């Protein structure tokens, strides 16, 4: 009654005709403009129009199946330049309404439609002055597969050729570099100068158990946070399976921690390990030397410590992380007994701390640990101490310019 022109256009549109036929799934005014909080869409962002207004229905598998509509129209729009520009925040980028209109939306077979072949040049010309018929024949919703016209067929062949070329070329590169890396890996393991005993057998077994349990915990933990990812698939896609994998790995981690504490207390090698990992004044000197350009990392004749600040920082970070993850993990697992003693928010805080401590631990392993045991020039391609306990002297002190010596 207040918008007669818009009402007339809607009645003539696909939406209006479906609604007039009594189809309750047909789009009406309030589907696009909201209900009580009526929204004007003339100043709405292109992203909102495409994703929220039109995409709300046209990305629905149920709606598309019921009305026999193409299922990938929203997806292919966002893959086009228009869609990418919309997502990039370009306010003038074309959205769905730019081509299809808004109130009087008609099929491309209707001569009155803005996307009818007779009107395509005019429609494209609104944004692309000088558009010709050849220009207007370009398809926006291109998936590279569907369609039998010559352009789609050529595009499909080019796509297939490039996919094959990419797979073949990159596979050869990966194979070449992989074999080269394995060759360097074997050569580094067989080097005769790996004379420093970095880790005894007990320490290596503890490290291996820690490594395996940590990886399993990370995979199974993030699989819960990202249930649609390959991580969830790797856990069997079942929450019960994932949960018990995570809990078993957590028990193993806590068991390794308890074993390590006992090892430090009763074993002479453990007590020496603990003393060697205590911070010292020289750690600050070494840290300053590492971050100051042009500074020799170790002066000739200076005693070489068994562990540098690099290993000490990581060791105490592991102790801290294991305590945090153990306490919060048990609080989450045993939330019923915990909430009989503590308020419910304690469990909520434990969940938050558990998640972000996991992120911190994973990033620290990737950025800090992997660098110093694999990618640092003195360790590349790998420090083998985790396997047989032996390391090169320069790997031990991390300074390839330092004189060779044993600790």
């Amino acid at each position: 009654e207040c918008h007669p022109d818009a009402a007339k256009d809607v009645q003539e549109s696909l939406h209006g005709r479906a609604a007039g036929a009594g189809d309750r799934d047909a789009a009406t005014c309030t589907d696009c403009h909201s209900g009580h909080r009526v929204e004007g869409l003339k100043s709405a962002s292109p992203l909102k129009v495409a994703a929220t207004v039109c995409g709300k229905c046209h990305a629905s598998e149920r709606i598309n199946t019921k009305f026999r509509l193409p299922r990938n129209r929203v997806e292919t729009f966002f893959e086009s330049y228009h869609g990418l520009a919309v997502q990039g925040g370009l306010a003038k980028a074309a959205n769905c309404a730019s081509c299809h209109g808004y109130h009087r939306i008609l099929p491309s077979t209707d001569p009155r439609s803005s996307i009818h072949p007779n009107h395509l040049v005019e429609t494209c010309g609104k944004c692309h002055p000088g558009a010709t018929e050849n220009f207007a024949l370009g398809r926006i919703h291109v998936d590279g597969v569907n369609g039998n016209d010559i352009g789609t067929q050529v595009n499909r062949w080019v796509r297939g050729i490039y996919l094959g070329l990419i797979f073949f070329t990159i596979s050869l590169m990966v194979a070449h570099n992989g074999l080269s890396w394995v060759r360097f890996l074997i050569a580094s393991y067989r080097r005769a100068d790996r004379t420093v005993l970095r880790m005894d057998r007990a320490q290596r077994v503890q490290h291996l158990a820690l490594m395996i349990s940590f990886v399993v915990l990370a995979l199974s933990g993030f699989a819960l946070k990202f249930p649609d990812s390959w991580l969830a698939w790797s856990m069997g896609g079942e929450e019960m399976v994932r949960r018990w994998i995570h809990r078993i790995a957590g028990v193993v981690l806590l068991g390794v921690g308890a074993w390590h504490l006992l090892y430090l207390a009763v074993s002479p090698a453990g007590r020496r390990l603990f003393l060697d990992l205590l911070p010292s004044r020289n750690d600050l000197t070494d840290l300053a030397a590492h971050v100051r350009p042009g500074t020799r990392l170790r002066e000739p004749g200076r005693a070489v410590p068994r562990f540098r600040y690099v290993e000490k920082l990581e060791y105490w970070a592991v102790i801290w992380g294991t305590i945090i993850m153990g306490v919060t993990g048990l609080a989450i697992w045993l939330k019923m007994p915990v909430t009989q003693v503590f308020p419910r928010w304690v469990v909520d805080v434990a969940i938050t701390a558990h998640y972000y401590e996991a992120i911190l631990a994973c990033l620290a392993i990737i950025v800090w640990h992997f660098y110093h045991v694999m990618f640092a020039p003195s360790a590349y391609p790998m420090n083998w101490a985790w396997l047989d306990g032996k390391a090169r002297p320069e790997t031990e002190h991390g300074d390839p310019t330092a004189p060779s010596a044993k600790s």
Side-chain angles (χ1 to χ4, degrees), residues 277-323:
L277 284 166
L278 289 176
S280 68
R281 184 179 301 175
N282 288 332
D283 294 330
L284 294 176
T285 304
D286 289 343
L287 174 60
H290 270 81
V291 299
R292 189 183 304 130
T295 304
R296 188 180 182 85
L297 300 183
R298 189 166 301 283
E299 296 300 328
R302 179 180 165 187
V304 180
R306 182 182 178 189
F307 297 107
R308 301 167 297 143
Y309 71 91
V310 170
E311 291 82 18
K312 293 179 181 180
L313 282 174
E314 186 164 21
Y315 176 81
W316 292 108
V318 170
I319 298 294
W320 163 264
T322 302
I323 294 173

Side-chain angles (χ1 to χ4, degrees), residues 14-15 27 32 49-65 67 69-75 96 100 105 141:
L14 285 168
H15 296 155
C32 299
V49 172
T52 305
V53 179
C54 300
K56 179 174 63 176
C57 294
H58 287 276
S60 167
E61 185 174 352
R62 185 182 67 84
I63 295 293
N64 290 330
T65 300
F67 291 101
L69 300 172
R71 301 185 179 187
N72 62 351
R73 281 300 183 253
V74 175
E75 177 185 348
C96 309
H100 295 274
I105 298 175
H141 300 280

Side-chain angles (χ1 to χ4, degrees), residues 75-234:
E75 177 185 348
T76 52
F77 168 75
F78 281 114
E79 291 175 353
S80 70
Y81 172 77
H82 293 155
L84 295 172
V86 163
Q87 295 173 82
L90 183 62
K92 295 183 178 180
N95 56 58
C96 309
S98 303
C99 300
H100 295 274
Y102 36 94
H103 289 144
R104 193 172 69 165
I105 298 175
L106 301 169
S108 60
T109 54
D110 191 315
R112 299 170 298 168
S113 173
S114 57
I115 57 172
H116 186 273
N118 293 341
H119 298 293
L120 280 178
V121 173
E122 176 186 353
T123 300
C124 295
K126 290 188 297 183
C127 298
H128 303 279
T132 62
E133 290 188 11
N134 281 336
F135 178 87
L137 289 176
R139 298 177 62 185
I140 301 302
H141 300 280
V142 179
D143 59 11
V145 177
N146 298 317
N148 295 317
D149 59 283
I150 187 171
T152 301
Q153 293 185 39
V154 172
N155 208 7
R156 185 187 305 136
W157 273 100
V158 171
R159 177 177 179 270
I161 290 171
Y162 262 103
L163 286 175
L165 181 63
I166 290 170
F167 178 80
F168 179 74
T169 304
I170 301 304
S171 295
L172 287 181
M173 292 179 178
V174 169
H176 173 274
N177 293 350
L179 291 172
S180 177
W181 187 77
V182 169
R183 175 172 160 268
F184 279 107
L185 199 65
I186 295 173
S188 71
Y189 181 75
R190 293 176 176 175
R191 286 185 62 155
D193 60 348
R194 293 198 310 117
T195 56
V196 177
L197 183 62
R198 185 68 170 275
M199 302 168 67
D200 63 23
R201 179 177 296 178
Q203 293 165 13
R204 297 198 300 273
V205 174
Q206 292 173 37
H207 177 271
L208 182 62
L210 173 67
M211 177 178 66
I212 294 174
S213 60
F214 179 88
V215 171
V216 174
L217 280 168
L219 294 177
S220 58
F222 288 120
L224 176 63
K225 187 68 175 179
F226 306 101
D228 296 328
S229 67
W230 65 269
L231 292 173
W233 174 85
S234 69

Side-chain angles (χ1 to χ4, degrees), residues 338-350:
V338 168
T339 51
Q340 291 178 6
V341 180
F342 300 100
R344 180 63 174 82
W345 60 261
V346 171
V347 177
D348 296 332
V349 171

